[in-house]
Amino acid sequence: MRFIGGWAPCPAVPADPRHYTHLLAVDVVGFGAPHRDEAIQEELRGATYALLRRAFEMTWLPWDACHVEDRGDGALVVLPPGMPGHLLLDPLAHHLGAMLRHSNRCRSEASRLRLRVAVSAGLVRRDAHGVAGHAVVHLFRLLEAPAFKEAIELSGSDVGLIVGDRMFEDVTGGGGCVERERYRPVHVACKETKATAWLWTSGPGSG
């Protein structure tokens, strides 16, 4: 190794394998309820993915370019870096709500599809097993928060959406197209996570 002026050249800094992006988790409300047999669960899974794909297309989000992990009664969706995060709020939630309101008119109570959706942003690391990082952990703490589950049950909504405080302030701070007044703050306490988040519901479903 040659020395220049008494100093050795610095080694190259390895590229950070993480990337900052927006991510979404979805869960079917009451998926494992006793009145739902495996045939109903299979139909609800198929309907959930079909609705997500269609809602992404309507919102101009590239479903086929997203990283998608199945979670049995739901899914994790990681957007490509650089996609505008505000699209995961009002536009996507409104599209999901409208489609569910329409499709649930033809469903029995046992097969009525209702969704809890969590949205967040942060650094995500991809490895051989999928994706990981504090952002992913925080996302599922939002999704599983008792206050969120209680809110969607009390509202009777077809869709409930919860978004982390930091992302909510980022996408609504400059005005934009998100209807801030449609969201209300909710306290999240789930395992080691204690945080403020923002809740949106689609209103009572038509059943």
Side-chain angles (χ1 to χ4, degrees):
M1 179 181 296
R2 295 183 59 190
F3 291 81
I4 302 175
W7 293 93
C10 294
V13 177
D16 192 334
R18 303 171 301 169
H19 59 269
Y20 185 89
T21 189
H22 297 90
L23 50 165
L24 170 149
V26 61
D27 182 77
V28 176
V29 175
F31 184 81
H35 64 279
R36 288 180 161 169
D37 58 23
E38 290 186 356
I40 291 178
Q41 290 178 347
E42 182 178 356
E43 197 279 329
L44 290 175
R45 278 170 50 81
T48 298
Y49 277 103
L51 282 168
L52 285 173
R53 174 181 284 274
R54 179 60 181 144
F56 268 56
E57 291 173 350
M58 293 172 65
T59 315
W60 296 96
L61 289 168
W63 175 264
D64 289 329
C66 295
H67 173 85
V68 180
E69 292 184 13
D70 182 66
R71 296 298 173 111
D73 58 353
L76 166 66
V77 183
V78 182
L79 269 61
M83 295 299 300
H86 72 87
L87 294 177
L88 288 178
L89 274 65
D90 283 5
L92 185 70
H94 281 299
H95 292 152
L96 284 172
M99 287 189 291
L100 279 172
R101 187 164 55 250
H102 176 75
S103 66
N104 279 334
R105 291 173 181 168
C106 303
R107 293 178 178 271
S108 66
E109 186 58 32
S111 63
R112 179 185 173 194
L113 180 57
R114 301 171 66 213
L115 299 176
R116 292 199 324 275
V117 180
V119 177
S120 191
L123 291 169
V124 175
R125 180 191 300 270
R126 187 165 185 170
D127 59 24
H129 308 289
V131 293
H134 292 302
V136 178
V137 174
H138 184 68
L139 179 73
F140 280 94
R141 296 294 184 264
L142 296 177
L143 186 69
E144 297 299 327
F148 185 24
K149 293 181 178 181
E150 180 182 9
I152 193 170
E153 285 302 324
L154 291 175
S155 70
S157 301
D158 288 325
V159 179
L161 182 141
I162 191 168
V163 56
D165 185 60
R166 174 65 181 273
M167 178 177 171
F168 183 75
E169 293 299 335
D170 285 347
V171 301
T172 63
C177 58
V178 176
E179 296 179 281
R180 188 183 177 106
E181 64 276 8
R182 285 289 310 274
Y183 293 77
R184 64 179 177 86
V186 60
H187 181 65
V188 172
C190 186
K191 296 186 178 180
E192 73 283 353
T193 298
K194 290 180 172 35
T196 298
W198 295 83
L199 176 67
W200 177 98
T201 55
S202 61
S206 54

